Amino acid sequence: MARDYYSILGIEKSASAADIKKAYRNLSKQWHPDKHKGDKDAEAKFKEINEAYEVLGNEKRRKQYDTFGAAGGSGGGGQGFGGFDFSGFQQGDFGGFGDIFETFFGGGAGGRGRTQRSQRGEDIQVRIAIEFAEVLHGCKKTIAISTFVSCTDCQGSGSQGGKTVSCSECGGTGQVVKTAQSFFGTIQQAMMCRACNGAGQVPEKPCTTCKAEGRVQQKREVTIDIPAGIDDGQTLRITGEGNAGKHGTPAGDLFVIIQVKPDARFERHGNDIHSIISIPVVDAILGTDISVPTVHGNVILSVPAGTQPKQVLRMKGKGLPQVSSSRMGDQYITINIDIPQKLSRQEKKLMEEWRKIV
Ligand SMILES: [Zn+2]
Ligand SMILES: [Zn+2]
């Protein structure tokens, strides 16, 4: 069935946008299902009017229609509006319906197309675990991910070359209407046509490699530069490393969630590191130098004479760096003092003598 949208709306091909809207408003009121309950012909007419306006009411689609005509071979009523069902609205008054209608069919210029058309590929999320010590200098990690990449056989166009034809799935409108039941009745929602990605046009000779999608799935390696100072749970966003978009649209982004593996020796507090060291009681009394593990390697710490249990000593600059800053955190060492539970004969003798003099 060849559909002449202009004659459906009873207007000339040269009609202005305002004329089209006016004609549509009059006709849709005239043929509204509320006024023709149970009349199948009126319902079909109403659908037809809406379909015509759907195309002619949108400048871009109207232009496509003028150039290419209606969808080839979609026939009877148009697939774009298959399953159109107004029964749910029959209890509502016309005014209310009109508002809903505006919402679904975009009374404004190209409202739906703008929001529903997918403009880029999907984002991808991956997780990478790094060692605690790798936080100090940052690191590079290479991972293999399976993503969509632009099809090299058609340079992402999805076409073997030549012209495009109107999409048969959506009748060239780039939109399909889905019907769902809700508390308020039947709701029609306009969805982007998946077959043409909302373009309304498909290649006449589709690329066979990518089945006209313009992209193919491929396993590829990505090297991720993880900055020094990164914290557990932080996410890096790598622009353009997600899935390639369909039909040559830009790629999505790659989101890398960083997991920093714990290290039993260290507890991280932002850029500072906390740790606990046990020393013999005599070292706490007399003072000593001990070798302390830090993320910078083992470092000698001077424990002053008379150090108290749970006393905290600071090692300046032995913590972790701040992301994109030269400031380095500190390491705080809590001193644990070992009191011997058993003494040798000689130790006991010395302690007894000490007791006599304190
Ligand atoms: Zn389509
Ligand atoms: Zn291709």
Side-chain angles (χ1 to χ4, degrees):
M1 185 174 88
R3 285 164 297 149
D4 181 351
Y5 291 147
Y6 288 99
S7 68
I8 289 168
L9 293 183
I11 47 175
E12 296 293 321
K13 247 195 138 173
S14 57
S16 70
D19 289 341
I20 293 169
K21 193 162 185 170
K22 198 172 150 204
Y24 162 71
R25 288 211 172 274
N26 289 336
L27 286 167
S28 63
K29 257 181 211 168
Q30 190 186 332
W31 293 99
H32 193 276
D34 276 0
K35 294 185 180 169
H36 306 272
K37 281 186 185 170
D39 183 344
K40 289 282 167 209
D41 288 346
E43 199 181 299
K45 180 86 183 154
F46 186 63
K47 283 182 201 174
E48 204 176 54
I49 292 159
N50 283 302
E51 188 184 335
Y53 183 65
E54 187 43 29
V55 173
L56 300 185
N58 176 297
E59 208 181 312
K60 193 174 146 225
R61 287 199 281 271
R62 182 183 178 188
K63 213 168 171 181
Q64 282 177 358
Y65 173 77
D66 288 346
T67 314
F68 299 104
S74 72
Q79 294 184 10
F81 289 83
F84 215 67
D85 178 8
F86 286 95
S87 58
F89 291 119
Q90 284 179 3
Q91 287 173 322
D93 65 358
F94 185 54
F97 182 80
D99 289 344
I100 295 167
F101 206 74
E102 284 283 321
T103 315
F104 290 140
F105 292 91
R112 290 190 300 141
R114 194 171 56 244
T115 50
Q116 299 245 338
R117 174 102 194 251
S118 158
Q119 296 292 353
R120 59 199 275 279
E122 303 84 1
D123 295 330
I124 294 176
Q125 198 178 68
V126 293
R127 284 172 190 277
I128 292 184
I130 64 167
E131 299 298 332
F132 193 91
E134 287 178 309
V135 175
L136 180 60
H137 299 298
C139 55
K140 282 189 199 302
K141 295 279 171 189
T142 301
I143 52 165
I145 47 173
S146 182
T147 66
F148 280 103
V149 296
S150 184
C151 173
T152 49
D153 289 354
C154 63
Q155 279 80 45
S157 69
S159 170
Q160 288 182 34
K163 55 180 183 166
T164 58
V165 291
S166 193
C167 171
S168 62
E169 284 294 314
C170 61
T173 62
Q175 307 279 335
V176 287
V177 174
K178 296 253 187 309
T179 305
Q181 294 298 325
S182 83
F183 179 75
F184 300 104
T186 307
I187 300 285
Q188 267 87 35
Q189 199 186 359
M191 311 284 279
M192 186 193 74
C193 172
R194 287 176 180 278
C196 62
N197 206 36
Q201 298 288 306
V202 290
E204 194 180 38
K205 281 189 219 151
C207 171
T208 51
T209 311
C210 61
K211 295 186 177 65
E213 260 208 12
R215 61 179 192 172
V216 288
Q217 200 145 23
Q218 201 178 76
K219 204 161 191 167
R220 64 191 177 98
E221 289 192 336
V222 186
T223 299
I224 292 139
D225 219 333
I226 300 168
I230 194 131
D231 211 343
D232 184 53
Q234 281 187 314
T235 302
L236 301 173
R237 177 189 194 142
I238 299 150
T239 310
E241 290 288 353
N243 278 330
K246 287 181 184 177
H247 312 285
T249 54
D253 299 334
L254 175 64
F255 288 86
V256 183
I257 302 168
I258 304 294
Q259 187 206 336
V260 179
K261 290 186 202 167
D263 185 317
R265 299 169 301 168
F266 307 122
E267 195 180 303
R268 185 172 180 180
H269 293 248
N271 304 316
D272 296 329
I273 289 174
H274 291 215
S275 62
I276 300 171
I277 294 283
S278 291
I279 58 170
V281 65
V282 68
D283 285 342
I285 295 165
L286 299 175
T288 187
D289 284 345
I290 51 168
S291 175
V292 174
T294 77
V295 287
H296 302 256
N298 283 358
V299 174
I300 300 298
L301 170 69
S302 277
V303 179
T307 292
Q308 302 297 306
K310 307 282 179 246
Q311 191 169 329
V312 177
L313 302 175
R314 183 168 81 140
M315 296 171 89
K316 204 168 181 310
K318 296 302 175 195
L320 294 166
Q322 215 161 359
V323 177
S324 61
S325 149
S326 56
R327 194 207 160 271
M328 195 66 84
D330 304 324
Q331 182 160 342
Y332 291 90
I333 296 105
T334 303
I335 303 294
N336 205 14
I337 295 172
D338 279 338
I339 310 271
Q341 289 180 311
K342 264 187 179 167
L343 293 174
S344 67
R345 189 171 296 205
Q346 198 191 0
E347 281 167 339
K348 197 171 177 193
K349 194 171 157 236
L350 286 169
M351 294 304 286
E352 293 284 6
E353 284 195 18
W354 186 27
R355 182 150 72 176
K356 284 178 200 160
I357 57 165
V358 290

